[in-house]
Amino acid sequence: MVSLAQGERARLSRLLAAAGPEGPTLCEGWLARDLAAHLVVREGRPDAAAGIRVGALAGWTERVQGKVAGRGYEGLVKSFRSGPPAWSPFNLPGVDGAANLVEFFVHAEDVRRAVPFEPEPPSPELAEALWRRIPAVARFGDARAPLSLRLVHPDGREASVLRKGTPEVTVRGEPGELVLFLYGRGARAAVVAEGAPEAVETLAHVLPLPGAGAAA
């Protein structure tokens, strides 16, 4: 059985191939070839991948990624589509779903919405899996926001990131749209923010909202 993460890997591979190496993405400064290189480095170069999260190592990661991006684009997409090398930590049990599902979903939408290609609504199973990850994604994505967030599913379910003594903003949307918002793609996501005008404005400075321009 193909897992949800594997399904998103296949979708992202298809979108990258269709976009071509010069295709745009929602990742600021990155064309499709840069995104493909990032994905290959992330899974196949643990010595360089650390710089994705650790600022002190970012320069090394950029140099390695730049060299990888210079390879043939078709080979890069094929390498990503085939999965991580046998020795990669991403092959450990449970890591694929935990580490890759949201990553691949967001980057697939980075390509699809930037080109743009036809809408591809998540399946009910994928939408539910993304919703279950909202609390963890919210804690990560909201680290820069000096206020509380109340994230609301269309069926009324809620997930909150609370900061005592600060204003609260409610953001409503489908699970995939909320994930994109929390990853800074809210300018191209179908979400609605509600709250005091000054609180919404504060939020929009760090996590863009629809109408605020391209995502970082």
Side-chain angles (χ1 to χ4, degrees):
M1 178 180 288
V2 175
S3 71
L4 292 174
Q6 290 168 340
E8 286 303 285
R9 182 189 294 274
R11 184 170 79 100
L12 175 50
S13 299
R14 171 175 53 80
L15 288 167
L16 286 169
E22 303 300 315
T25 77
L26 297 187
C27 301
E28 185 176 1
W30 282 6
L31 298 174
R33 72 165 74 250
D34 303 302
L35 177 53
H38 159 77
L39 293 165
V40 171
V41 168
R42 176 177 175 269
E43 293 189 318
R45 287 291 303 269
D47 63 308
I52 296 171
R53 298 294 185 200
V54 182
L57 302 176
W60 170 240
T61 299
E62 290 177 6
R63 289 193 294 274
V64 172
Q65 186 169 304
K67 291 181 179 179
V68 172
R71 300 177 187 172
Y73 184 70
E74 289 185 9
L76 279 177
V77 175
K78 181 178 179 181
S79 178
F80 170 66
R81 182 187 295 115
S82 64
W87 45 262
S88 172
F90 285 91
N91 280 316
L92 293 172
V95 172
D96 188 43
N100 286 336
L101 178 59
V102 171
E103 175 87 4
F104 294 167
F105 170 79
V106 170
H107 284 320
E109 293 302 305
D110 282 337
V111 179
R112 187 189 70 74
R113 297 183 190 220
V115 171
F117 291 121
E118 290 296 315
E120 296 181 353
S123 67
E125 295 79 9
L126 175 56
E128 186 61 24
L130 292 172
W131 174 255
R132 290 197 301 268
R133 286 161 172 77
I134 285 284
V137 174
R139 286 192 294 272
F140 170 77
D142 183 50
R144 301 163 294 164
L147 43 74
S148 297
L149 291 178
R150 187 164 65 99
L151 305 161
V152 183
H153 190 288
D155 67 9
R157 283 181 286 171
E158 298 183 6
S160 298
V161 178
L162 300 176
R163 296 180 184 276
K164 292 182 179 180
T166 64
E168 179 180 274
V169 173
T170 297
V171 182
R172 302 178 185 274
E174 295 287 345
E177 304 300 311
L178 291 173
V179 166
L180 291 170
F181 158 71
L182 292 166
Y183 268 81
R185 277 70 165 177
R188 301 291 291 272
V191 296
V192 176
E194 303 168 351
E198 59 273 17
V200 173
E201 183 177 358
T202 296
L203 175 64
H205 280 308
V206 291
L207 288 174
L209 292 165

